[in-house]
Amino acid sequence: MNYSRLAWLCLAWLLAACTISTLQAQSVASTVVTLDRAEAVQAGWDSSMPPATGWVPIKLMDYWNTRWPHHDGVVWYRVHWNQASTDAPIGLLLDYVCMADAVYVNGSVVYRDPQLVEPLSRSWVAPQFFLIDKPLLHIGDNTLLVRVSGLAAYQPGLGKVQIGSNSAVQALYRSGMRWRYDVRLFNFAISAVLGVLFGMLWLLRRRDTVYGWYALSTLFGAGYAWNYVTASTWPFASTDAWQAFVVALLVTSTCSFTVFLLRFCERRWPRTEAAMGLASLAAFAFALLDPHRMGPWRNVWVLPTILFYYATIATFLWHAARSRRIEVRVLGISMLLPILLSFHDLALYLELIHGNNYIGALTSPLTLVGMAFAVAWRFSAAMRRAEGFNVELRHKVDIATTQLGDTLAREHALALDNTRIGERLNLVRDLHDGFGGSLLGAIAALENPQRPPEPAHVVSTLKELRDDLRLVIDTTTHEQDSDLAGLLAPLRHRWSQRLDVAGIDSRWRLDGLDGLHLGPARSLDLLRLLQEALTNVLKHSHASRVDVAVGRADTQLSIEVRDDGDGFEPGVAHDGRPSGAGLASLRARATRLGSVLVLDALPGRGVTLRLDVLLQASSR
Amino acid sequence: MESAENGIDLSPTLIVEDHPAMRQRLLQLVVGLTGSDAQITTANSIASAKALLDEDASGVALIDIGLPDGNGIELIAWLHIHRPQVTSVVISAWGHEDTVLAALRAGAIGYLLKERDDVELSLALQSIRRGGAPIDPNIARGILALLQLSAEPVTTGARVAEVAERSEHALSERESEILRLVARGYSNREIAELITLSRFTIEGYTKSIYRKLAVRSRTAAVFEAKALGLLY
């Protein structure tokens, strides 16, 4: 944003405003007559007719408090003019009347304010225009009477009277309305809107107090601006009360404006701020509790306030001149021009110069827009920071995600390593449980000097080792991709063939094993148990048939191996029968499966091995 | 399928095995089946095996996997192409099914597992002599998995003749059923009872499955070669 351009725009606007009003005034001057010679007389509040005596000549515009400093009440003003023709109606313009008035032309009333006694109507805010035609308008001498109700404390009096053609005077009236009334109405409206807008912003972002102070200052400013627009003292019952309240609004608006500037410059002056808060409270307290002193003596408040306002702005301008921040400098510029013009208004207020056109109202929208820009700039800068922060945050999140990913990958790799180690340990344990024991047994048997083993026995032991290794290999290879039915298939196939060769008819019944996984250790234990049982059948039973049944019912796995061979007497050592070591091994495996081996054996009636294994809930 | 027509004489037999004890064991097994006047030769490497088999050689070759000058599967593949009269049987140590499957796809019609008892190996050889082939659940499962995988793709080239050729070598209903039963652990006798065929016929089906496996893998190889632009 090029703020010097903004400054030029402001300047151009002001120049244009002044030029237009001057041009309009000049263009109509030729057809409009300004009447500045009049007579005035004091009267009481209830005066209904102009007094016959006591008239004094005066010059308009007139503030009667300079002549009658303590006169609160009515002053009658009388103006004469000579009318050459009544062919066309004439326009009559009362530039300024303070406060309430009634207007008579040639003895007839043409206008009357609603409130001619307290609370007085506030007609001072706007010029008054009347169209006068015959028969009211006479050829020759005509008399204008203006009955003004006013209070000495509030610049009572009558401004210039202008007559002329309807169009010319009405143009003057329009111009006056525009520059005195409309601009202030606009000023009030824009203040109210901006105040509400930034007030909302602050309500939603309490931490950003600069918006809150801006809203407060602008809203109090809007209240003060209402003074230039309202036609009545509502909601107050007297002019004093209204004026006192307006002064309190001015004080508070100035104080909150100062705090806003402090916050805007990111400063915090607690003692000054507390003092301003007290001053504001005091102003309201006086205004509400003692308006009849506060109102007339308002300058006691107004002058220090305005001085303070100037001091505040001067300080800020000094700060802005040194600041490199765009929004601070724009705010500075937006205050510089109005402050220069406000000297004019102040002079007018203090009656150092005569007139009724407070031009500050022209510039205050500019100030408001400048302030709005500065605050909005601050807001958008905060937004940009937030967005930048988002980008930065995303960047950081990305980095963190990458790091986390790396860490997880490392942990995963570590977990994989641990799993591999665990699997290797499982394999070692599997080998150790069956294979290792048998191997040691075979070595011990071969080394026994007392009883050299027969080669056939050694071969038998080695074959048992081989079968066990086969089970370990099959289980390790296929446990992951195969259910119990799949794991049993190679064992069943191999042993069917072996038993078949030995002339033993084997019958298998496998029920409900599809999809059943016992886990590697239990699967291997089960396969080993079956293999040992079948080895016993093959070697010792002399059976002609063996039935193998493995069935699952709910959470129970039942295993049964029954042969129709010789059988034996349980508990009695049988020659050649492995009632000792063989059965012990079977029992140990059953125990490891969490079950108890049930042995049903009688000589001549075969052997039945049975066990029920409880399946854990985790078994799929 | 008439198994008698496909019977394979175990004489002559070439044993390609570098381990002396195993060579001796196999020699005795074959002699036990054929009698001592059978024509049995042994070799301990791929090179010497190739030297022993001239153009019109026939009979059975028992081939070990791990040979000093290469992998036995190479020899099986070579024999399948250059000596089609020779029936290859692979000898596997601990019978990892991938090895056996690779040999079957290279053209072997059977396998012997060294870990098995002599009597079991003898049964396998007898089955081969009758025109059958031994099979285990793990091998059956491997073949099923292989067929499921290769059954999915290859509709892009869309050559009608090839599709017909491939379907000609697809497994029949009966063959698939037998494979599934073997995979579940059923013995040949149980399968024979289930589908009311003789167990020897079952063995014949097994051999037919192996043949189709070899042809399928060759067809697939040719198809892939064509797709790659290596053959026209």
Side-chain angles (χ1 to χ4, degrees), chain B residues 15-23 43-45 64 66-68 114:
Chain B
I15 298 169
V16 189
E17 166 65 78
D18 60 323
H19 202 273
M22 193 64 206
R23 198 160 60 218
N44 57 9
S45 68
D64 188 27
L67 291 167
K114 290 181 190 175

Side-chain angles (χ1 to χ4, degrees), chain B residues 164-224:
Chain B
E165 190 189 2
R166 288 169 69 83
S167 65
E168 194 181 306
H169 298 290
L171 296 190
S172 68
E173 257 329 284
R174 180 53 54 85
E175 287 163 347
S176 302
E177 191 185 3
I178 290 171
L179 271 184
R180 278 193 289 273
L181 288 170
V182 172
R184 293 178 68 83
Y186 287 78
S187 68
N188 283 1
R189 183 178 51 75
E190 286 172 307
I191 296 169
E193 283 170 18
L194 272 174
I195 60 179
T196 60
L197 283 172
S198 88
R199 56 193 297 180
F200 303 125
T201 315
I202 304 284
E203 290 172 357
Y205 275 115
T206 313
K207 183 172 163 186
S208 163
I209 291 166
Y210 292 166
R211 282 258 158 83
K212 286 183 177 177
L213 198 63
V215 174
R216 279 176 66 93
S217 60
R218 286 193 66 203
T219 313
V222 169
F223 182 78
E224 280 160 23

